């Protein structure tokens, strides 16, 4: 038995031999793995240890390989040549790698695959060819690869799917090629579990295409041109239809042939609503994406938020799942909408006449008068009509129709008439000169809309310190405006300089606060940055008179009340006169002192200097798209950051990604 020192010397020698045989610019790690990343030498590395199992050569700038490059690497099981400059592969270049199970040639410049490119790779299980320029694949290119489990051809230039017979194949990725149609029977791989056909430009997917694919569980059809959901996939657990903008409507039984679905992606479609009970045939559904759809958040969609809560389904990208219309809900996160915001009518109690026929009665024996005829009597029954009828208590179709249900206010623009069709879709009847789903578009020959002299600015509410203004009546007459300018003047005060507020056009009303009580204000609406005085819509409003505060020490008689009002008023006037006189005297004393290097400024009283420049003139008000332009006045400023719009009037409007529109 060799002594311990001898074993130590042997191990050190073996280690030194391994280190010395590692290619330049590479790292050789145990067990038998070689990493060559971003080497300065663009040739295939030499002196690779013959016992190497895993060889990583990505991002080496390698432009060619030969059969001799792999001499002696009989044990190699993983070869990564991705992100290099390979434009062609010699026939049989890998045939000496009989034990190779993983080959990655992604992100090279290969243009074709010949019949002998993969010759001798009978044990290959994973072949990745993503991100090349492959236009043609020989029909026998994959012949002999009976053990292949994964084949990835994503992002190439194929115009038709390759022909192959791979009985063990589990994953096939043909996404983002130029394959616009796939013929039935092209997939000769009955064990496929995952099929990815994204971004091919497919107009339809025939149901027969999946015949024989009994193990298909995951199907990716995103970013195609489909206008309906494929059927006949009863064992499918994951379906991705994102980006198929041709799908604009779904029927209640749309997924009845997909009972095993667990993950469903319907993002980026053209869905305006979803019928109630759409997912009732998918009891295993656990993940759902509805992002970036132009949803109409009206009564017919009100069921969705409650269903998500009760079912426990995880709504993916919920912050991107927002309302598109009506304008009052535009931009709001759909899941956060409360029931009444969908515009559903409240339960109604009606009196329904019912007819009852009394049971036949027997005349009393002692009565000789003839018994009265049995006549029906009418009574009134109280019935509550629910917004969500049950199957046990359905509402008769002649009692309500979709047309009877209320559209939320301001759904149709430009005086369009809103109603719901037989499918519950919002339909707008547009006046002459306007078109679009919501009458939002005008023809080229339509003259610009101007405000009629009879149209007046509406005041919604007035208190002692605030005025609520209706913006909708003005914004509906304007198209493509970037903002609304609200001008406010106090006609009762000595300072009549205007206060200008810049508001987003999507607001339906706005409240100006911190106003003086018992004062008359002139309010005007105009287009921000455009138009002139003729373009404005004006009105006057007077704030309420604040009631005096009562005191426990005051005798509440008529004379006492009069004194309570007059005495504080007189006292306030005296105090104000003293304050003004003191300020003037103080200013004169400062002027008389004439401190060296110090100029005496103008009278600086709060509320007087604001808005004046150094010369005592009014400053020019810029037309910034944000907020009131005189600071120091308490008001409700709309928030217009890059992610959302809103103000503390509880009108929050989120800015959506451009692709959402």
């Amino acid at each position: 038995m060799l002594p311990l020192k001898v074993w130590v010397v042997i191990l050190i020698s073996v280690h030194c031999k391994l280190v010395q045989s590692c290619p330049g610019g590479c790292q050789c790690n145990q067990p038998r793995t070689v990493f060559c990343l971003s080497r300065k030498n663009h040739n295939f590395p030499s002196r690779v240890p013959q016992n190497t199992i895993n060889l990583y050569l990505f991002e080496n700038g390698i432009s060619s390989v030969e059969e001799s490059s792999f001499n002696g690497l009989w044990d190699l099981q993983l070869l990564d040549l991705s992100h290099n400059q390979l434009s062609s592969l010699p026939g049989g270049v890998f045939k000496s790698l009989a034990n190779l199970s993983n080959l990655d040639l992604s992100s090279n410049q290969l243009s074709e695959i010949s019949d002998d490119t993969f010759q001798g790779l009978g044990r290959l299980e994973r072949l990745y060819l993503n991100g090349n320029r492959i236009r043609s694949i020989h029909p026998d290119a994959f012949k002999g690869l009976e053990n292949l489990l994964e084949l990835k051809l994503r992002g190439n230039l194929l115009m038709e799917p390759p022909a192959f017979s791979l009985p063990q194949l589990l994953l096939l990725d043909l996404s983002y090629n130029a394959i616009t149609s796939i013929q039935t029977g092209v997939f000769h791989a009955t064990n496929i579990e995952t099929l990815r056909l994204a971004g091919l430009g497919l107009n339809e997917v025939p149901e027969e295409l999946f015949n024989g694919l009994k193990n298909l569980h995951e199907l990716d059809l995103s970013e195609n041109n489909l206008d309906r959901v494929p059927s006949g996939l009863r064992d499918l657990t994951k379906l991705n239809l994102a980006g198929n903008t041709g799908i604009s409507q779904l029927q209640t039984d749309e997924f009845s042939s997909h009972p095993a679905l667990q993950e469903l992606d319907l993002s980026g479609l053209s869905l305006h609503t979803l019928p109630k009970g759409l997912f009732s045939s998918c009891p295993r559904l656990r993940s759902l994406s509805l992002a970036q759809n132009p949803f109409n958040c009206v009564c017919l969609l009100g069921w969705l938020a409650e269903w998500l809560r009760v079912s426990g389904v995880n709504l993916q990208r919920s912050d991107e799942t927002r309302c598109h219309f009506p304008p009052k809900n535009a931009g709001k996160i759909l899941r956060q909408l409360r029931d009444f915001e969908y515009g559903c009518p409240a339960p109604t109690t009606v009196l329904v006449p019912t007819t009852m026929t009394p049971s036949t009665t027997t005349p009393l024996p002692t009565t000789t008068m003839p018994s009265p005829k049995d006549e029906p009597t009418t009574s009134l029954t109280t019935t509550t009509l629910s917004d969500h009828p049950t199957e046990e208590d359905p509402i008769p179709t002649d009692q309500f129709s979709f047309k009877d249900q209320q559209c939320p206010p301001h759904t149709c623009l430009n005086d369009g008439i809103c109603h719901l069709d037989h499918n519950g879709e919002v339909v707008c009847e547009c006046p002459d000169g306007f078109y679009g789903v919501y009458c939002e578009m005008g023809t080229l020959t339509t003259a610009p809309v101007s405000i009629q002299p009879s149209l007046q600015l509406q005041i919604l509410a007035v208190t002692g310190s605030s005025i609520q203004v209706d913006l909708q009546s003005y914004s509906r007459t304007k198209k493509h405006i970037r903002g609304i300018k609200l001008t406010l003047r106090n006609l009762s005060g000595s300072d009549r300089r205007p206060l200008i507020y810049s508001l987003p056009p999507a607001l339906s009303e706005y409240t100006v606060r911190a106003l003086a009580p018992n004062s008359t204000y002139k309010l005007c609406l105009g287009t921000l940055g455009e138009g002139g005085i003729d373009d404005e819509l004006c009105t006057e409003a007077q704030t309420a008179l604040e009631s005096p505060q009562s005191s426990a020490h005051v005798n509440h008689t008529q004379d006492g009340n009069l004194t309570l009002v007059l005495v504080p008023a007189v006292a306030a006037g005296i105090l104000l006169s003293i304050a003004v006189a003191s300020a003037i005297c103080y200013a004169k004393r400062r002027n008389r002192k004439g401190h060296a290097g110090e100029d005496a400024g103008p009278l600086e009283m709060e509320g007087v200097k604001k808005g004046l420049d150094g010369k005592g003139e009014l400053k020019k008000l810029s037309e910034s798209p944000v907020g009131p332009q005189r600071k120091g006045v308490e008001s409700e400023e709309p928030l217009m950051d890059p992610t959302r719009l809103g103000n503390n009037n509880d009108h929050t409007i989120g800015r959506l990604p451009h692709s959402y529109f």
Side-chain angles (χ1 to χ4, degrees):
M1 186 175 184
L2 294 176
L4 179 61
K5 291 183 178 180
V6 176
W7 282 112
V8 172
V9 171
I10 294 175
L11 291 175
I12 292 175
S13 300
V14 171
H15 176 73
C16 292
K17 184 176 180 180
L18 288 174
V19 172
Q20 291 174 357
S21 63
C22 191
C26 301
Q27 294 181 354
C28 297
N29 302 325
Q30 294 299 324
R32 300 154 70 180
T33 298
V34 178
F35 288 95
C36 301
L37 173 61
S38 302
R39 294 165 56 248
K40 296 181 179 179
N41 188 348
H42 293 174
N43 296 322
F44 194 91
S46 57
R47 296 184 296 107
V48 177
Q50 293 186 356
N51 64 344
T52 300
I53 294 178
N54 304 313
L55 178 58
Y56 295 90
L57 300 172
F58 49 88
E59 296 184 6
N60 280 253
I62 299 173
S63 58
S64 63
V65 292
E66 304 294 337
E67 183 180 353
S68 59
S69 302
F70 306 105
N71 285 342
L73 300 179
W74 300 287
D75 296 334
L76 196 65
Q77 297 179 15
L78 184 149
L79 176 59
D80 189 344
L81 284 167
S82 63
H83 298 275
N84 283 291
Q85 305 296 324
L86 296 173
S87 58
S88 62
L89 294 172
V93 64
F94 304 114
K95 65 180 181 181
S96 62
L97 305 177
N99 291 313
L100 194 67
S101 58
N102 299 276
L103 177 58
D104 192 347
L105 295 167
S106 300
S107 300
N108 279 280
Q109 301 174 11
L110 301 175
S111 58
E112 67 173 318
I113 304 296
S114 64
D115 59 341
D116 55 358
T117 300
F118 305 117
Q119 181 181 354
L121 299 180
R123 295 187 179 180
L124 194 65
E125 295 179 353
R126 295 169 184 86
L127 176 58
Y128 300 158
L129 295 166
N130 295 335
N132 281 277
R133 303 174 182 174
I134 301 174
R135 292 181 178 272
S136 63
I137 298 178
H138 194 277
D140 295 330
F142 305 115
K143 188 176 182 180
L145 305 182
E146 289 84 2
N147 293 305
L148 195 64
L149 302 177
E150 298 181 10
L151 175 59
K152 297 183 179 181
L153 289 161
R154 183 187 184 92
N156 282 282
L157 302 176
L158 294 171
M159 301 188 68
E160 58 182 15
F164 55 77
S165 179
L166 300 171
Q168 303 300 324
L169 193 66
L170 300 178
L171 183 150
L172 175 62
D173 191 349
L174 296 175
S175 300
Y176 298 101
N177 279 274
I179 305 172
T180 57
S181 63
I182 301 178
Q183 302 300 322
T184 303
V186 69
F187 300 125
H188 296 282
T190 57
N191 288 316
I192 287 181
E193 295 181 353
T194 301
L195 180 60
R196 299 173 183 168
L197 304 174
L200 299 181
L202 298 174
N203 294 316
E204 61 177 350
V205 178
E207 182 176 344
E208 296 79 10
L209 179 65
F210 308 108
N211 287 347
L213 303 183
K214 304 301 183 182
N215 292 329
L216 186 61
H217 298 312
E218 179 180 339
L219 178 61
D220 186 354
L221 291 170
S222 60
E223 305 294 334
N224 281 288
N225 300 323
L226 303 179
D227 58 4
R228 61 185 182 89
V229 178
S231 58
L233 299 167
R234 300 195 61 83
D235 297 323
L236 207 62
T237 60
K238 184 176 181 179
L239 176 61
N240 188 348
L241 295 171
N244 286 275
T245 56
I247 301 178
S248 60
Q249 188 174 359
L250 298 175
Q251 304 300 324
T252 306
D253 59 347
E254 198 77 54
F255 299 103
S256 58
S257 61
H258 307 78
L261 272 182
Q262 298 179 18
E263 299 181 34
L264 178 61
D265 193 339
L266 298 176
S267 58
L269 308 186
S270 299
L271 298 174
H272 296 289
T273 188
L274 298 174
K276 187 176 182 180
L278 176 64
F279 307 112
S280 60
S281 58
C282 305
R284 301 181 183 178
L285 192 63
R286 291 295 174 264
S287 176
L288 175 65
S289 179
L290 298 170
Q292 297 185 343
N293 276 284
F295 284 119
N296 294 338
C297 292
V298 296
C299 185
L300 291 176
L301 195 61
W303 66 272
L304 182 59
E306 177 66 14
W307 174 82
L308 287 170
R309 185 184 66 81
V310 174
S311 65
V313 172
N314 183 18
L315 184 64
Q316 303 290 334
R317 300 165 62 189
S318 60
D319 59 333
E320 299 178 55
T321 310
R322 298 173 179 259
C323 302
H324 190 63
F325 273 91
K328 74 182 186 73
N329 288 335
K332 294 182 180 180
I333 296 178
L334 186 146
R335 193 167 190 174
Q336 295 179 356
L337 245 63
R338 290 163 290 185
D339 291 343
F340 70 88
E341 293 180 277
Y342 285 96
C344 294
T348 305
T349 301
V350 296
L351 297 178
V352 181
T354 59
T355 301
M356 297 182 298
T357 302
S359 59
T360 304
T361 59
T362 304
L364 294 175
T366 59
T367 302
T368 59
M369 299 289 294
S371 62
K373 298 181 179 178
D374 293 338
E375 296 181 355
T377 60
T378 302
S379 64
L380 295 179
T381 303
T382 301
T383 304
T384 299
L385 303 179
S386 172
D387 296 336
H388 304 288
T390 60
E391 293 181 1
E392 292 79 7
D393 186 23
I395 294 178
T397 56
D398 58 347
Q399 196 169 12
F400 279 100
S401 65
F402 285 122
K403 192 168 184 177
D404 295 328
Q405 293 209 29
Q406 301 174 1
C407 290
H410 313 309
T411 298
C412 300
L413 307 178
N414 300 309
D415 297 324
I417 300 175
C418 175
H419 64 84
L420 305 178
D421 64 10
H422 63 283
N423 291 321
E425 293 279 353
V426 170
V427 177
C428 291
E429 297 180 4
C430 303
D432 294 339
F434 295 95
Y435 64 96
V437 178
Y438 303 97
C439 306
E440 71 277 11
M441 304 295 292
T443 60
L444 297 177
T445 58
T446 301
V449 178
S450 60
I451 299 178
Q452 301 299 326
S454 59
L455 184 62
Q456 295 182 355
L457 178 59
Q458 297 182 14
I459 302 300
L460 301 179
V462 178
T463 67
S465 61
S466 67
I467 299 177
Q468 187 178 25
V469 187
D470 175 36
L471 304 180
Q472 190 69 29
S473 59
Y474 178 83
S475 61
R476 289 181 62 183
T477 64
K478 293 294 180 180
K479 300 296 174 291
H480 310 298
I481 59 176
R482 66 185 181 91
I484 299 176
K485 179 175 64 176
L486 172 61
T487 305
L488 178 72
R489 289 180 175 86
N490 187 352
L491 302 182
S492 300
S494 58
D495 185 5
R496 297 193 178 186
R497 289 173 296 174
L499 299 177
I500 299 179
Y501 302 81
S502 300
L503 308 175
L507 287 182
S508 58
E509 67 266 352
Y510 187 75
T511 302
V512 184
R513 300 188 185 278
L515 304 181
N518 196 26
S519 300
T520 302
Y521 286 88
K522 182 178 180 180
L523 302 99
C524 294
L525 294 181
T527 303
L528 186 63
E530 302 174 5
I533 298 178
D534 296 337
D535 184 57
E536 291 184 344
L537 187 66
C538 299
T539 191
E540 294 183 5
Q542 183 171 5
T543 53
L545 176 63
E546 290 186 346
S547 58
Q549 296 181 352
S550 60
S551 173
H553 303 285
V554 177
N555 185 15
H556 294 283
T557 63
Q558 185 174 0
D559 296 337
N561 291 336
L562 180 60
T563 304
L564 183 64
V565 174
L566 292 180
V567 172
V570 174
I574 295 173
L575 291 176
L576 178 61
S577 301
I578 294 173
V580 172
S582 300
I584 295 174
C585 293
Y586 174 74
K588 289 181 178 180
R589 287 199 301 270
R590 289 189 59 188
N591 290 336
R592 286 196 299 266
K593 287 183 180 180
H595 296 289
E598 195 176 271
D599 296 331
L603 179 64
E604 297 183 6
M605 293 179 62
E606 183 178 358
V608 175
K609 187 176 180 181
K610 288 184 175 62
L612 300 176
D613 57 16
K615 300 178 182 179
E617 298 178 354
L618 282 174
K619 294 182 181 179
K620 183 179 180 181
L621 297 176
S622 62
E623 292 183 337
S624 168
V626 183
Q629 297 169 356
R630 275 190 61 195
K631 296 182 179 179
V633 179
E634 182 184 355
S635 60
E636 296 183 339
E637 302 185 12
L639 304 178
M640 298 182 68
D641 57 53
T643 57
R644 68 188 184 95
L645 301 174
N647 73 341
N648 46 5
N649 283 303
D650 290 333
H651 296 285
T652 302
I653 302 172
R655 180 167 298 175
L656 305 173
H658 295 296
S659 60
Y660 180 85
F661 296 102

